[in-house]
Amino acid sequence: MTVAITREISPRFAECELTHIERTPIDLERARIQHRGYVNALRELRCDVIELPAEPDLPDSVFVEDTAIILPEVAVITRPGADSRKPETTSIAQALAPLVKIIHMREPATVDGGDVLVLGNRIYVGLSTRSNQEAIDQLNEMLGKYGYSVLGIELHDCLHLKSAVTRLDDQTLLINENWIDANCFKNFDLIHIDPSEPYAANCLPIGESILFPPAFSKTCEKLEKRGYNVVTVDVSELAKAEGAVTCCSLIIP
Ligand code: CIR
């Protein structure tokens, strides 16, 4: 069974970090309702969800994806790039410890899990404002013995690598090529987002289904036409904090 770790939204959510979007008022209650919908969708897709309590003083802590890189062999606890987010990893390491072998990134490396795309034994790390070359070097050092190679990849105009490209299945990626060079993924079948929906490249595959925001209806239609079973989950209030579907969970296959 797939285990998913999530965390309730902090009461200070509205003080979140923002990099590429303007701050607009966040309705905390609405965000919480949407987050509950997300957790329910994971449960309906037969995930065993471990819900961590809110971190009252860590505004972005609902975005648990950024705190760890989970592989079948080991979980790497990250050092998130934003200082306000570094303390988020402590409770995540505690939650993961009974489930998987854990290793930790060390200073001066910084990496957000949202920048990490695992495709087989190749791990792509977005060279964003959050993740640095030291992280790539450390990951190569730590994960080489498990057969992984870790590569940095340029991106622009978006927060994380997984804002621009995510995995639909072993052969297929969903991509916004305005934010990343599609030639980096020549060996994959690429599905391009609808250009009117720039934030649509972030999807979360769970089993045979794809969790995806209903706001991106044109891209959603493309996915359905390609035969994907799309389960929609509204995260529009979380998007005001620059979050999307992958960032609200850590998935342990
Ligand atoms: C941040 O800027 O760190 C948060 N406001 C949003 C993080 C979203 N995380 C993700 O997509 N993996």
Side-chain angles (χ1 to χ4, degrees):
M1 191 188 230
T2 301
V3 174
I5 294 183
T6 63
R7 172 149 47 206
E8 285 177 33
I9 295 178
S10 166
R12 292 178 56 184
F13 186 48
E15 295 166 57
C16 60
E17 298 281 341
L18 287 179
T19 309
H20 291 279
I21 61 171
E22 292 291 315
R23 197 168 294 276
T24 53
I26 293 181
D27 180 336
L28 187 58
E29 197 38 45
R30 187 158 181 260
R32 287 194 167 127
I33 291 167
Q34 290 183 355
H35 189 253
R36 250 173 265 142
Y38 177 90
V39 169
N40 288 340
L42 289 174
R43 290 214 165 99
E44 271 160 33
L45 294 174
R46 303 220 232 142
C47 288
D48 182 4
V49 182
I50 300 175
E51 280 189 274
L52 303 181
E55 287 272 13
D57 291 321
L58 300 177
D60 278 307
S61 51
V62 63
F63 300 126
V64 290
E65 173 184 47
D66 294 317
T67 59
I69 302 161
I70 302 196
L71 301 167
E73 301 84 356
V74 68
V76 182
I77 304 297
T78 63
R79 283 190 77 241
D83 286 344
S84 69
R85 302 203 56 193
K86 288 187 171 70
E88 291 177 25
T89 56
T90 309
S91 51
I92 294 293
Q94 283 165 359
L96 284 172
L99 306 172
V100 282
K101 177 180 155 67
I102 280 182
I103 50 180
H104 292 261
M105 302 225 70
R106 301 176 309 272
E107 208 177 344
T110 64
V111 64
D112 283 7
D115 271 324
V116 181
L117 180 64
V118 180
L119 299 174
N121 60 4
R122 186 157 279 204
I123 301 179
Y124 292 92
V125 176
L127 289 162
S128 70
T129 56
R130 302 290 174 84
S131 303
N132 61 19
Q133 185 60 44
E134 284 88 344
I136 293 164
D137 297 343
Q138 276 185 31
L139 286 169
N140 265 316
E141 206 180 283
M142 290 166 163
L143 301 176
K145 63 169 173 262
Y146 300 110
Y148 293 99
S149 62
V150 186
L151 294 173
I153 183 161
E154 301 286 342
L155 50 95
H156 52 90
D157 300 326
C158 61
L159 181 59
H160 286 134
L161 176 59
K162 277 188 273 191
S163 317
V165 57
T166 48
R167 180 185 163 280
L168 280 156
D169 58 39
D170 287 347
Q171 273 315 306
T172 322
L173 306 178
L174 180 61
I175 189 164
N176 175 349
E177 63 176 332
N178 288 321
W179 289 347
I180 197 159
D181 181 1
N183 289 321
C184 300
F185 303 104
K186 275 192 185 136
N187 296 335
F188 290 86
D189 188 8
L190 300 181
I191 298 185
H192 296 269
I193 54 133
D194 187 279
S196 67
E197 300 173 340
Y199 291 92
N202 186 271
C203 71
L204 178 61
I206 301 281
E208 300 298 303
S209 301
I210 306 293
L211 273 192
F212 194 70
F216 309 129
S217 56
K218 291 180 183 158
T219 305
C220 183
E221 214 173 287
K222 267 195 177 191
L223 297 179
E224 285 174 334
K225 275 199 186 132
R226 290 286 295 262
Y228 290 100
N229 177 41
V230 180
V231 174
T232 54
V233 51
D234 185 7
V235 289
S236 51
E237 210 59 29
L238 297 155
K240 294 179 183 174
E242 239 172 327
V245 287
T246 62
C247 49
C248 297
S249 54
L250 279 168
I251 303 294
I252 309 168

